Amino acid sequence: MGVGPSSTHGEARRPAHQRPMRCRTAEEVPKCFRQVECPYLPGETVYGEYGAINYTLVGNAGGELVVCFHGLNGSRMLFQDSAAYIARSGSFRVLTFDLYGHGLSNAPPVDLMPCTSCSTSCRASCCAWNGPRGRYDLDFFVDQADELLWLIGLENEPVNLMGFSLGGAVAMAFAKRFPSRVRRLVAISPSGFIPRVPPLYYVLKAVWCCLVPLAPHVLCTCWYKKERFARSLRAENKEMDDSAIHSLWSRFVWQLFVKRGVASATLAICNRVNWFNLTELYEHVGRNQRPVLLVWGERDNLNPVATVGKKVKELFSNAKLLEIPRAGHIAICDRPREVVPRVVRFLQLPVSARMDSADLEPVALPAPRPDDQTPEPEGDDEKAEQVALRAENMPVAMVLGHTEKDVALAGDQLRSVNL
């Protein structure tokens, strides 16, 4: 990507084929779910090689560009309020978008047998049927981000990257491929270092070529009946209220029974992303002297800060590990007042800054205009939307068969493990 005629920033280029997001017709949706409304807020839409990409670009023209990558099963909504807050500093434009297979971006069919002659996935002119099929590995999402920047005329802009969990690994892969384009990196509990491999993962690896095409057909509607869904959630969190449950239920049902391709895409990501040892990737990126901010929740049981967080920091030559008290894996949701202002402060540092002596104490932002609707980061009291966002960005360990108890026990066992 990154080639083609020049365009004015903000004017989306048009590819030869415009493939909309794949969805079922009303008649194809199970009757019990036909009243479920789309739970996602649409942004702008451009059409990439693999279909529609839903994105939002906020901030003043000419500001430094920040590109955000959400986690597995998440959406650009994870960064919606944070993006507005960062843009309010006056120095940044923030690009948030849904990865393929997530939110309101298309979920192209999974490429089960990628051609070795193709760099990352089969193209429409190759052996794929009914349009291009996605590989759903890290390079696939790097391709998407690179193409999106080209489509909206920002391919020549230097970028700052911010990623959460899976998005953190995608940001690293982008920085590896385009080192000269990346000025700063923010990684919030980035993936690639889950301590132990669950048995279910080996089952997935063994049968995934059969499981992926069957996934949309074996989903049972009874598993997602609202009453049963609510009971399951309350068994883990008795304090979750009805509005939060409804919001989360709507997202899961809409993704699995209205939008096409999500279940297969999720399984492909679980299979093709290295969740357990991305040391080589992080070491490669870490040799660059650009500033890196690692944000970790003190109570992150999936990737414990005392072991995984500190180990990841050692892979970078110029990084600071910011440990957030009373926050779990999704620190940006758990403690936004602690995280987002410090991210802004980090982005304001010169690219030559040394992180071992960097001051990340937040500075006051310009007073908002009377008509400015930019929200402040939320406090500790959770709203329904925050609860849904946290649950929606499901840690990959849960997808692969871990429970919270398993993860906590694994953290205790990791004290003497060298990742």
Side-chain angles (χ1 to χ4, degrees):
M1 302 302 170
V3 295
S6 61
S7 69
T8 303
H9 289 183
E11 293 182 1
R13 292 157 168 157
R14 293 179 178 272
H17 302 285
Q18 294 190 18
R19 297 181 177 89
M21 180 177 60
R22 299 190 304 140
C23 285
R24 294 174 174 84
T25 64
E27 293 72 22
E28 292 173 327
V29 176
K31 290 183 178 180
C32 56
F33 297 143
R34 289 179 184 173
Q35 302 303 314
V36 175
E37 297 181 354
C38 177
Y40 298 101
L41 295 175
E44 302 293 326
T45 302
V46 293
Y47 295 92
E49 184 175 2
Y50 297 91
I53 302 174
N54 182 51
Y55 78 97
T56 298
L57 180 65
V58 298
N60 296 329
E64 280 194 48
L65 184 61
V66 181
V67 181
C68 300
F69 300 92
H70 61 77
L72 178 64
N73 281 1
S75 72
R76 69 173 186 84
M77 293 170 65
L78 176 69
F79 295 106
Q80 182 171 264
D81 290 349
S82 302
Y85 185 86
I86 293 170
R88 207 184 94 194
S89 70
S91 303
F92 300 98
R93 290 166 295 167
V94 186
L95 175 66
T96 63
F97 69 101
D98 294 327
L99 297 173
Y100 283 131
H102 298 75
L104 294 179
S105 289
N106 188 39
V110 176
D111 183 4
L112 296 176
M113 301 291 289
C115 294
T116 55
S117 60
C118 298
S119 59
T120 57
S121 48
C122 283
R123 302 302 197 248
S125 60
C126 191
C127 62
W129 295 90
N130 299 321
R133 294 173 178 267
R135 184 175 173 84
Y136 290 101
D137 57 7
L138 294 180
D139 282 332
F140 176 70
F141 295 121
V142 172
D143 287 344
Q144 180 190 1
D146 183 36
E147 183 177 34
L148 174 59
L149 290 168
W150 180 81
L151 287 168
I152 62 177
L154 297 175
E155 74 278 10
N156 295 321
E157 295 285 325
V159 296
N160 301 281
L161 304 180
M162 178 162 63
F164 160 70
S165 197
L166 169 65
V170 176
M172 297 297 164
F174 189 101
K176 179 181 179 181
R177 191 190 299 183
F178 305 110
S180 63
R181 293 169 62 178
V182 180
R183 295 170 63 85
R184 305 173 188 84
L185 271 169
V186 180
I188 305 170
S189 298
S191 64
F193 301 90
I194 292 179
R196 69 181 182 87
V197 183
L200 186 59
Y201 182 76
Y202 295 110
V203 176
L204 173 64
K205 298 289 285 186
V207 302
W208 90 279
C209 276
C210 299
L211 187 59
V212 166
L214 289 175
H217 307 288
V218 300
L219 288 171
C220 180
T221 57
C222 63
W223 297 343
Y224 293 92
K225 290 292 183 65
K226 192 171 183 179
E227 296 77 13
R228 180 172 181 171
F229 190 84
R231 286 198 302 271
S232 177
L233 288 178
R234 288 203 169 102
E236 297 291 333
N237 185 354
K238 295 180 180 179
E239 298 179 357
M240 185 172 286
D241 62 28
D242 291 341
S243 58
I245 289 174
H246 176 77
S247 180
L248 183 58
W249 174 78
S250 297
R251 296 181 193 199
F252 271 87
V253 168
W254 190 86
Q255 290 270 22
L256 294 175
F257 295 99
V258 179
K259 183 180 177 181
R260 289 188 181 276
V262 173
S264 297
T266 301
L267 289 171
I269 295 169
C270 289
N271 179 62
R272 285 181 167 159
V273 172
N274 184 347
W275 301 99
F276 308 102
N277 188 1
L278 284 178
T279 300
E280 184 177 349
L281 170 63
Y282 284 64
E283 278 184 334
H284 186 282
V285 176
R287 296 188 193 108
N288 192 293
Q289 293 296 312
R290 72 172 67 85
V292 176
L293 177 62
L294 301 171
V295 180
W296 234 278
E298 175 191 42
R299 299 174 180 174
D300 187 344
N301 290 325
L302 179 63
N303 292 320
V305 65
T307 51
V308 178
K310 293 181 179 179
K311 177 64 177 180
V312 171
K313 180 182 179 298
E314 293 174 1
L315 302 177
F316 293 90
S317 59
N318 187 25
K320 188 180 188 70
L321 176 60
L322 182 62
E323 187 173 341
I324 306 300
R326 294 180 291 164
H329 183 62
I330 314 178
I332 196 169
C333 277
D334 291 335
R335 305 286 291 174
R337 286 186 181 274
E338 297 289 331
V339 174
V340 183
R342 285 172 171 80
V343 168
V344 172
R345 182 72 184 97
F346 167 75
L347 293 172
Q348 293 171 337
L349 294 175
V351 292
S352 59
R354 296 304 304 172
M355 294 305 297
D356 52 4
S357 59
D359 178 15
L360 295 183
E361 283 303 309
V363 296
L365 293 183
R369 301 185 307 273
D371 60 343
D372 190 354
Q373 300 300 313
T374 301
E376 293 290 328
E378 296 292 343
D380 297 337
D381 295 333
E382 295 181 333
K383 294 183 178 179
E385 183 68 13
Q386 287 178 288
V387 176
L389 280 173
R390 177 182 292 105
E392 178 193 46
N393 285 270
M394 184 193 311
V396 70
M398 307 308 168
V399 177
L400 299 177
H402 283 304
T403 66
E404 289 284 1
K405 183 178 180 181
D406 293 333
V407 172
L409 288 174
D412 292 337
Q413 296 167 357
L414 268 182
R415 304 302 177 186
S416 60
V417 174
N418 184 7
L419 294 178

